Amino acid sequence: MTSKKQTYFHLLILLGIAVVICLPFLTMGKIYNQDDFLFHKARMLAYYTSVMKDHDFLPRVLPSMAGGFGYAVDIFYNSFTLLPFVLFKAVLGGFVLPYNLYLLTLT
């Protein structure tokens, strides 16, 4: 059985590995656009709008997607997991740095 110190040490090592892996992305200041990134970018920004302007943390439909018609993206992807991105964007502004920090929190 492992002690709490060993458990915290292992978690610290994993956190260090995650930071080392994500560090190049944090310092580059750009995002690689692959696969369905544009859809997920639109989803993240629509959720940010929903939280910041409409104060809706669990929207069923994101009204600013699909050219303003709205899209029920929450059926497929849980938007609540985007809350760290919303917090980073609210504090830092922009998109690139909050997105990269969000990826670090996921890692």
Side-chain angles (χ1 to χ4, degrees):
M1 181 160 258
T2 61
S3 70
K4 283 191 175 189
K5 283 185 179 182
Q6 286 179 332
T7 303
Y8 289 135
F9 180 71
H10 290 138
L11 289 174
L12 188 62
I13 288 176
L14 290 175
L15 181 64
I17 291 171
V19 168
V20 167
I21 289 171
C22 290
L23 195 60
F25 296 104
L26 291 171
T27 59
M28 273 192 277
K30 62 182 178 179
I31 299 172
Y32 290 102
N33 184 0
Q34 296 177 352
D35 299 331
D36 55 351
F37 170 75
L38 294 178
F39 167 75
H40 288 291
K41 179 182 177 185
R43 181 174 73 95
M44 294 168 94
L45 293 174
Y47 183 66
Y48 174 79
T49 303
S50 176
V51 170
M52 297 305 286
K53 292 186 179 174
D54 301 332
H55 308 292
D56 188 3
F57 287 89
L58 294 170
R60 294 177 188 242
V61 174
L62 294 172
S64 60
M65 288 187 76
F69 287 103
Y71 187 68
V73 73
D74 233 17
I75 294 171
F76 309 108
Y77 302 100
N78 184 3
S79 293
F80 195 67
T81 59
L82 297 176
L83 197 55
F85 170 76
V86 171
L87 296 174
F88 290 138
K89 183 165 174 46
V91 171
L92 301 171
F95 180 79
V96 176
L97 184 58
Y99 177 74
N100 286 329
L101 289 173
Y102 172 66
L103 290 181
L104 178 64
T105 61
L106 292 180
T107 305

